Amino acid sequence: MKLYNLKHSDEQVSFRQAVLRSIGRDSGLFYPTALPRFADVDALLAQPFVARSQTILDRLLGEDFDAGVIPALVERAFTFPAPVHAVSEKVSALELFHGPTLAFKDFGARFMAQVMAHLLERGDHQGPLTIVSATSGDTGAAVAHAFYGLPNIQVVILYPKGRISSLQEKLFCTLGGNIRTLAVDGDFDSCQALVKQCFTDREFVTRFGLNSANSINIARLIAQSTYYFEALAQLPQRDRVVISVPSGNFGNLTAGLFAQALGLPVHAFVASTNANDTVPRYLQSGIWNVRSTVPTLSNAMDVSAPNNWPRIEELFAHAQRSLSSELRHAAITEPETLAALRELDQLGYLAEPHAAVAYASLKRNLHDNETGLFLCTAHPAKFKEAVESTLNRQLPLPAALAEADRRPLLSHEVPATLAALQQQIAAAWQ
Ligand SMILES: *Cc1c(COP(=O)(O)O)cnc(C)c1O
């Protein structure tokens, strides 16, 4: 696969380069020069999940690697299923939370980590590789678990001390090994600012091989396309399928649109957001107007300037398709989210606020002769407080969380200064 920079189309890179660089000149996103259209989708859908994902990713990325490499990386990354659960006669849920950190980000982060470890091994990257990332919860956990135990890679994750839930903290700050977690004396913005500042010190970046491995990395998106195939493979009825994607930075929806471009017969997508509704307002009015971010129950989607949006614009422009008439959308309020959570519970399905947003938005956008699917991006236990207070009952803790909860915290407490961060990065290599 070849890719180009959306801001400077003359900057063309291989998939391997795009993964190692994450982002191009002037912070331009990398975008594939071409996506093939598979002629054998029915045969692909007949295969089991891992085998099918190996085939798809090998077709897209294989030319950049020795034979057999991509299938081996997929096998190591995709160690958990993505089951479809029927919720009502016409609506099903795709559960993407059966990985080690109980959220869909495990799929993309684990494949990206495997690719990076392989590139290091074959010498594409010289010297140390240090993943440095700031998190307000979910992303850090997925990245930490994805890279845990991989040779010659150190991971340093910053989070605001006392401002993430104790369960969230336990999930990624108890690993040890090559994972160093920093409880920063500050808020999430100061963590992010520190990481940014660290990346401007060119000499330091080169010495420790700093890489952000963040959600705009193309390896994550390409890997995520495979579970859309898995969803259709499991649906008993594949005619006129409409898929609702709970969206924040819009990486998940980009991956779904990639799958559709590859030939997956999805009738329509629904871009579903909470009150942070820049995209629904844009699709309605044609005006891109970013307002300040408001906190909601579905906090992983509290994003007002979604960083993957230029990729979606490019995809529609390429295909000469109309965004405003083809991409369905809705912004769901907090009361509507709670009502959807209760409605799902009455249908016998336990969800959490992100999936509830997707469900509410799907119902608003599903026509009579269509089949609906909504994405469940996190395990209900990850949003225990909100779910328990809405449904008035206690949730059991899944085994992975209960086990992490028993382990001691290994975080280092640091002030929000560049010197402290650089010292911690250096210490990770000693
Ligand atoms: C990250 C996240 C999202 C948003 O996904 P994007 O790809 O950023 O649109 C939705 N739900 C959960 C639980 C998440 O962690």
Side-chain angles (χ1 to χ4, degrees):
M1 172 179 279
K2 298 273 178 296
L3 303 104
Y4 60 95
N5 178 336
L6 286 179
K7 283 193 182 159
H8 296 280
S9 56
D10 58 308
E11 184 183 1
Q12 302 234 356
V13 295
S14 67
F15 174 74
R16 300 200 316 249
Q17 290 167 320
V19 172
L20 289 174
R21 287 184 206 171
S22 269
I23 202 150
R25 223 160 69 226
D26 289 339
S27 302
L29 300 175
F30 290 122
Y31 190 86
T33 50
L35 288 170
R37 201 171 175 84
F38 300 149
D40 58 347
V41 171
D42 284 337
L44 283 172
L45 291 179
Q47 294 185 352
F49 177 49
V50 174
R52 178 194 321 111
S53 302
Q54 289 172 317
T55 307
I56 291 171
L57 293 174
D58 203 30
R59 281 184 195 173
L60 296 176
L61 312 173
E63 64 176 18
D64 271 35
F65 297 85
D66 290 340
V69 168
I70 290 293
L73 302 183
V74 172
E75 187 159 0
R76 271 177 241 150
F78 290 6
T79 51
F80 47 91
V84 168
H85 187 104
V87 166
S88 65
E89 202 190 322
K90 293 183 50 178
V91 173
S92 299
L94 173 65
E95 297 184 346
L96 300 173
F97 52 73
H98 294 282
T101 73
L102 310 177
F104 83 99
K105 292 189 172 75
D106 282 327
F107 284 100
R110 287 172 68 85
F111 182 69
M112 174 184 64
Q114 291 297 332
V115 170
M116 283 187 174
H118 174 75
L119 295 180
L120 206 61
E121 192 184 305
R122 75 195 290 285
D124 277 42
H125 176 87
Q126 306 290 333
L129 179 61
T130 314
I131 307 298
V132 179
S133 156
T135 187
S136 51
D138 276 357
T139 311
V143 167
H145 278 262
F147 283 94
Y148 180 55
L150 294 181
N152 304 316
I153 302 178
Q154 291 292 330
V155 177
V156 177
I157 296 180
L158 296 76
Y159 65 97
K161 188 176 116 193
R163 300 194 196 204
I164 69 175
S165 82
S166 125
L167 220 52
Q168 257 180 337
E169 191 177 22
K170 285 283 177 106
L171 194 51
F172 72 105
C173 303
T174 56
L175 290 168
N178 62 330
I179 311 299
R180 177 173 284 248
T181 52
L182 309 181
V184 176
D185 192 7
D187 59 10
F188 175 61
D189 290 326
S190 59
C191 293
Q192 218 165 15
L194 264 186
V195 171
K196 265 197 177 157
Q197 208 185 342
C198 196
F199 273 89
T200 60
D201 183 343
R202 297 311 306 172
E203 197 274 325
F204 192 85
V205 168
T206 312
R207 178 143 53 101
F208 290 101
L210 296 199
N211 191 301
S212 67
N214 64 15
S215 67
I216 43 106
N217 195 293
I218 192 73
R220 294 171 69 148
L221 295 188
I222 299 280
Q224 286 173 238
S225 294
T226 60
Y227 53 66
Y228 287 90
F229 282 85
E230 176 64 0
L232 263 76
Q234 289 179 53
L235 282 179
Q237 208 281 99
R238 286 178 207 150
D239 202 30
R240 297 185 158 264
V241 174
V242 175
I243 304 181
S244 173
V245 185
S247 296
N249 271 316
F250 283 79
N252 209 352
L253 180 59
T254 307
L257 290 162
F258 279 174
Q260 188 186 38
L262 294 171
L264 187 70
V266 178
H267 183 60
F269 282 98
V270 187
S272 306
T273 71
N274 57 32
N276 297 286
D277 59 350
T278 307
V279 166
R281 280 188 290 109
Y282 170 70
L283 291 170
Q284 201 71 48
S285 69
I287 299 166
W288 187 261
N289 174 17
V290 175
R291 298 182 185 151
S292 52
T293 307
V294 296
T296 72
L297 291 165
S298 48
N299 58 33
M301 309 187 330
D302 291 348
V303 178
S304 49
N307 59 16
N308 269 297
W309 188 254
R311 286 183 165 133
I312 293 182
E313 291 270 354
E314 185 76 356
L315 188 141
F316 275 82
H318 244 264
Q320 294 176 311
R321 293 168 60 190
S322 157
L323 254 175
S324 58
S325 60
E326 285 188 52
L327 186 57
R328 301 181 191 180
H329 53 87
I332 303 301
T333 65
E334 297 289 88
E336 288 169 333
T337 304
L338 296 178
L341 207 53
R342 287 194 200 98
E343 181 177 324
L344 284 166
D345 190 49
Q346 268 149 24
L347 290 167
Y349 191 69
L350 183 63
E352 49 70 51
H354 303 78
V357 165
Y359 176 71
S361 163
L362 177 65
K363 282 194 49 184
R364 208 184 282 175
N365 280 285
L366 194 64
H367 306 149
D368 275 347
N369 55 353
E370 297 171 342
T371 300
L373 183 85
F374 65 102
L375 269 46
C376 298
T377 45
H379 192 289
K382 281 198 103 168
F383 296 89
K384 208 169 179 297
E385 288 82 10
V387 176
E388 286 181 340
S389 67
T390 308
L391 302 180
N392 279 321
R393 58 186 158 83
Q394 302 291 110
L395 299 190
L397 217 51
L401 276 181
E403 201 209 307
D405 200 28
R406 283 192 293 270
R407 290 197 294 257
L409 276 181
L410 301 172
S411 294
H412 303 258
E413 294 193 9
V414 297
T417 65
L418 181 61
L421 174 57
Q422 293 189 331
Q423 191 196 343
Q424 287 289 337
I425 292 169
W429 286 97
Q430 275 154 20

